[in-house]
Amino acid sequence: MAPSGKKGILERLAAGEVVIGDGGFVFALEKRGYVKAGPWTPEAAAEHPEAVRQLHREFLRAGANVMQTFTFYASDDKLENRGNQLGFTGAQINEAACDLAREVANEGDGLVAGGVCQTPSYLSCKSETEVKAIFKKQLDVFVKKDVDFLIAEYFEHVEEAEWAVQTLKETGKPVAASMCIGPDGDMHGVTPGDCAVRLVKAGAEIVGINCHFDPMTCVKTVKMMKDAVEKAGLKAHYMVQPLAFHTPDCSCQGFIDLPEFPFGLEPRILTRWDMHQYAREAYNVGIRFIGGCCGFEPYHIRAVAEELATERGCLPAASEKHGLWGAGLEMHTKPWVRARARRDYWEGLKPASGRPLCPSMASPDGWGVTKGHADLMQQKEATTQEQLKPLFEKAKTH
């Protein structure tokens, strides 16, 4: 059992249950005015708890079983990076996030997951000991607040993800590990399969993918992980928490290479009907922890829950205000809209963008920069205009 007294994450997955994760807090709260794009840090947990609490509630109502603490990029080195000045300590932010997640999880059948992610220190080539010490500071709060399980997410390099898993395993709590990579593997070319095997050997009971790529790309990548883990004779459960953006034109770095990132991505948003397809595909390949990351709003999670309602044995509370496959349109005043109250209409729809002068695909930036490169060395001081000038010039050639 989990500390909350509910059936734990591993017990649920071992029983074949579908566990639905929540959505992308960083992007959702940035659009609502509570997160700053650039640093993407989660001080809103302490600064505007009512906003974080409300978003948790909306995801719970939409069908999420997991309330993930809003602790993305809440490591001390990230909170202090490039001139970011906050009125709260990392410990205060992490504690507030745990309290909010637990409060809302207790309103339903939710579990609380404490999350850590990649660090500026790793990108700046700090030692294993130094990077693990950063994870440990966040972990101390998660242990104090007795979260139900732990997630190491959003890792571009499997080495750092291994370090995170090894640190989280010291608590004795269940550990999930998800990387933000696609079929081409991590930033040093380690294949998804090899990444998964290494993470399972490091101690992760659940492995998978989050962020950087669209749902179908992420499902494909998790399938590669699953095949490799099984071939190695190992056992694990599998998770996927992708973007809610179409990314067919992305390179190995994912959506952050797109010229629209982060302020022009809206034309790429998946519809709720796309989410039905994603949920079914994920389930069919054997993934049972199915959620979302950047771009996912509560209605997207509701679509996942509705698609898998038979497997879960219930519809989410939010379906009270949503007719399945557009059935609510039967009540519309206009007859041509009433005519859309059917599944085949929405499944067959090819949405127009309304932007006749825009391309359907972009040309991603491809700077080839990763850990160890001078441009990725991080600093506490604010980025100067002198540092920006060569970047502006380089951007003109890509």
Side-chain angles (χ1 to χ4, degrees):
M1 300 294 287
S4 58
K6 302 169 185 174
K7 187 188 292 186
I9 184 68
L10 296 181
E11 289 76 17
R12 297 184 191 207
L13 294 173
E17 295 181 24
V18 174
V19 174
I20 295 183
D22 54 16
F25 271 62
V26 170
F27 265 50
L29 289 170
E30 191 278 331
K31 286 180 170 63
R32 290 160 169 80
Y34 299 104
V35 165
K36 180 183 252 184
W40 304 109
T41 47
E43 61 272 15
E47 197 172 54
H48 296 287
E50 73 288 349
V52 178
R53 181 186 296 111
Q54 177 62 22
L55 191 54
H56 275 306
R57 283 200 176 118
E58 291 179 21
F59 281 119
L60 181 71
R61 179 173 166 78
N65 302 113
V66 175
M67 300 294 103
Q68 196 164 329
T69 58
F70 185 40
T71 51
F72 179 82
Y73 274 163
S75 60
D76 283 347
D77 61 337
K78 179 60 178 174
L79 294 171
E80 299 171 349
N81 198 46
R82 294 197 174 276
N84 197 27
Q85 296 181 345
L86 304 176
F88 299 92
T89 65
Q92 288 174 319
I93 293 169
N94 283 284
E95 288 195 17
C98 288
D99 290 342
L100 291 167
R102 177 64 71 196
E103 177 186 347
V104 177
N106 286 346
E107 295 173 4
D109 190 35
L111 297 173
V112 174
V116 302
C117 62
Q118 66 181 5
T119 63
S121 292
Y122 181 82
L123 293 178
S124 299
C125 300
K126 297 291 181 66
S127 69
E128 177 180 350
T129 300
E130 290 172 301
V131 173
K132 284 185 172 181
I134 291 168
F135 295 139
K136 182 66 165 56
K137 286 190 73 173
Q138 275 191 276
L139 191 58
D140 287 343
V141 175
F142 297 148
V143 171
K144 175 184 175 181
K145 294 296 183 178
D146 205 14
V147 300
D148 296 314
F149 70 103
L150 300 163
I151 300 179
E153 69 169 1
Y154 196 76
F155 286 90
E156 297 172 307
H157 303 86
V158 68
E159 181 181 57
E160 187 183 17
E162 286 178 298
W163 296 351
V165 169
Q166 290 163 0
T167 306
L168 300 186
K169 284 297 291 183
E170 294 175 4
T171 66
K173 292 182 178 293
V175 174
S178 63
M179 299 189 66
C180 52
I181 62 174
D184 291 335
D186 84 346
M187 293 302 101
H188 285 144
V190 181
T191 68
D194 287 344
C195 287
V197 169
R198 288 172 62 171
L199 292 173
V200 172
K201 288 182 176 179
E205 290 100 342
I206 308 165
V207 294
I209 296 294
N210 81 292
C211 207
H212 276 204
F213 294 92
D214 61 45
M216 292 310 184
T217 302
C218 288
V219 169
K220 176 183 177 181
T221 309
V222 177
K223 178 66 164 57
M224 296 168 70
M225 290 178 146
K226 184 173 183 287
D227 290 345
V229 169
E230 291 173 353
K231 185 176 180 180
L234 302 171
K235 291 185 177 181
H237 301 289
Y238 301 93
M239 68 183 295
V240 61
Q241 300 203 104
L243 298 175
F245 305 108
H246 291 284
T247 61
D249 41 355
C250 278
S251 53
C252 68
Q253 189 79 55
F255 81 142
I256 60 175
D257 275 1
L258 292 174
E260 302 99 320
F261 177 87
F263 300 127
L265 290 164
E266 284 80 0
R268 294 174 175 265
I269 293 175
L270 275 74
T271 69
R272 64 194 69 195
W273 317 115
D274 294 326
M275 292 299 173
H276 278 264
Q277 185 182 3
Y278 150 58
R280 182 55 55 193
E281 184 67 17
Y283 185 86
N284 286 345
V285 303
I287 303 169
R288 292 297 179 266
F289 186 162
I290 303 170
C293 198
C294 299
F296 267 75
E297 292 282 346
Y299 75 94
H300 289 123
I301 292 298
R302 180 179 61 189
V304 171
E306 288 180 345
E307 175 62 31
L308 299 174
T310 298
E311 289 79 5
R312 298 178 77 220
C314 64
L315 283 167
S319 293
E320 297 170 3
K321 298 294 185 182
H322 185 245
L324 296 180
W325 294 104
L329 299 181
E330 296 170 1
M331 304 168 69
H332 202 278
T333 57
K334 304 298 188 292
W336 58 89
V337 178
R338 292 198 298 273
R340 299 170 189 160
R342 64 187 198 274
R343 177 170 182 164
D344 64 309
Y345 175 85
W346 294 110
E347 280 192 317
L349 182 69
K350 297 188 185 304
S353 70
R355 297 173 180 268
L357 301 182
C358 291
S360 61
M361 306 274 266
S363 297
D365 291 325
W367 287 24
V369 173
T370 189
K371 180 202 173 189
H373 193 284
D375 288 346
L376 272 187
M377 294 298 171
Q378 303 301 308
Q379 62 190 49
K380 284 189 177 182
E381 300 78 23
T383 306
T384 66
Q385 289 301 309
E386 288 71 25
Q387 290 173 319
L388 286 171
K389 284 178 182 178
L391 300 181
F392 295 154
E393 290 301 316
K394 186 174 182 179
K396 293 177 183 179
T397 66
H398 284 267

